[in-house]
């Protein structure tokens, strides 16, 4: 994951996300959550370093990630990369993916990434930067998706109608360094899986 994070980025940690940032050798701008999974030693280190900590009660209505996204929006950021939010628990993973469909995120650049796969919700137009042979899967999210057109992929679509239960848009391939996806209406989950060996020694710029 290190190669997709830059030292100049502003890091906001959802609870124990602060532990990951510390292990990378950086400090978060802010830690948000109920802090039930953040070790006390690391919390003290963060406090001693002047990191802002916003603690909520454990009996709360929102997940730590949703609280963190709210804080990021309050701070005025328009590009959000969410890491370490995939895997572990299926309920949390699905909930995290659904967070990207929030109406107030529609005009922002919001993605999830684990270093191998990058996920985003396409509403309108999206450009995917990658390499030849990278896998692109498009999954209707929340309902049917209309007028789907793609370019730069081995199997292109033109004004396609995609139903929620269809699988024909799984495991497409990039033909070059860029692919384009256009959606007329609905939400399309785009999963970009990198061929990691083709990125070895390359700088990844977000």
């Amino acid at each position: 994951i290190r190669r997709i994070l830059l030292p100049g980025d502003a890091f906001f940690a959802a609870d124990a996300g602060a532990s990951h940032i510390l292990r990378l050798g950086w400090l978060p701008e802010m830690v948000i959550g109920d802090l039930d999974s953040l070790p006390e030693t690391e919390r003290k280190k963060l406090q001693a370093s002047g990191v802002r900590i916003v603690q909520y009660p454990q009996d709360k209505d929102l997940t730590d990630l949703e609280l963190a996204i709210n804080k990021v929006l309050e701070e005025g950021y328009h590009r959000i990369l969410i890491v370490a939010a995939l895997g572990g628990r299926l309920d949390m993973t699905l909930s995290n993916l659904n967070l990207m469909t929030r109406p107030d995120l529609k005009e922002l650049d919001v993605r999830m990434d684990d270093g191998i796969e990058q996920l985003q919700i396409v509403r309108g137009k999206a450009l995917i930067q990658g390499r030849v042979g990278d896998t692109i899967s498009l999954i209707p999210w929340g309902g049917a998706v209309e007028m789907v057109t793609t370019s730069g992929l081995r199997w292109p679509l033109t004004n396609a109608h995609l139903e929620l239960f269809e699988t024909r848009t799984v495991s497409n391939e990039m033909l070059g360094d860029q692919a384009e996806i256009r959606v007329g209406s609905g939400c399309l989950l785009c999963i970009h899986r990198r061929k990691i060996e083709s990125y070895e020694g390359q700088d990844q710029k977000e």
Side-chain angles (χ1 to χ4, degrees):
I1 199 70
R2 181 185 293 275
R3 64 186 173 77
I4 67 171
L5 302 177
L6 302 175
D9 289 340
F11 298 104
F12 287 74
D15 206 322
S19 299
H20 299 309
I21 296 172
L22 288 172
R23 281 196 290 274
L24 289 168
W26 296 322
L27 287 173
E29 298 277 331
M30 184 185 301
V31 180
I32 305 103
D34 56 23
L35 308 187
D36 63 341
S37 54
L38 181 65
E40 184 62 24
T41 55
E42 294 184 350
R43 177 174 178 171
K44 290 180 179 179
K45 179 178 180 178
L46 293 165
Q47 290 175 323
S49 299
V51 174
R52 290 180 290 171
I53 296 179
V54 182
Q55 185 170 5
Y56 292 82
Q58 291 189 13
D59 292 334
K60 61 187 189 309
D61 294 329
L62 307 182
T63 63
D64 291 331
L65 178 56
E66 185 170 4
L67 292 170
I69 290 175
N70 291 342
K71 285 296 181 182
V72 169
L73 295 179
E74 289 176 12
E75 295 288 317
Y77 291 96
H78 301 286
R79 299 181 68 239
I80 304 172
L81 182 65
I82 303 170
V83 300
L86 302 171
R89 280 180 53 181
L90 181 58
D91 56 346
M92 294 298 291
T93 298
L94 292 174
S95 175
N96 292 342
L97 291 173
N98 275 329
L99 280 174
M100 293 198 296
T101 68
R102 284 174 42 160
D104 56 352
L105 300 180
K106 184 177 181 180
E107 303 300 326
L108 306 183
D109 183 353
V110 182
R111 308 182 188 208
M112 290 187 179
D113 208 314
D114 65 2
I116 298 175
E117 293 183 325
Q118 186 175 96
L119 288 67
Q120 65 186 106
I121 295 293
V122 181
R123 290 175 282 194
K125 175 183 175 181
L127 293 176
I128 310 300
Q129 304 293 337
R131 299 284 191 277
V132 175
D134 283 3
T135 300
I136 301 293
S137 292
L138 304 176
I139 301 174
W141 200 254
V145 184
E146 305 287 349
M147 303 287 288
V148 180
T149 298
T150 65
S151 62
L153 298 177
R154 182 177 179 184
W155 297 283
L157 298 173
T158 302
N159 295 330
H161 170 89
L162 302 180
E163 289 287 353
L164 187 63
F165 49 79
E166 289 189 81
T167 61
R168 65 186 172 114
T169 49
V170 172
S171 295
N172 211 326
E173 296 177 8
M174 293 186 67
L175 297 177
D177 294 342
Q178 181 174 284
E180 181 177 298
I181 303 164
R182 293 180 180 270
V183 172
S185 65
C187 292
L188 195 62
L189 175 63
C190 174
I191 303 176
H192 171 203
R193 184 176 180 84
R194 306 175 181 94
K195 292 180 67 176
I196 293 301
E197 61 272 15
S198 68
Y199 289 82
E200 294 296 335
Q202 302 280 344
D203 289 331
Q204 177 75 5
K205 295 182 179 180
E206 289 296 326

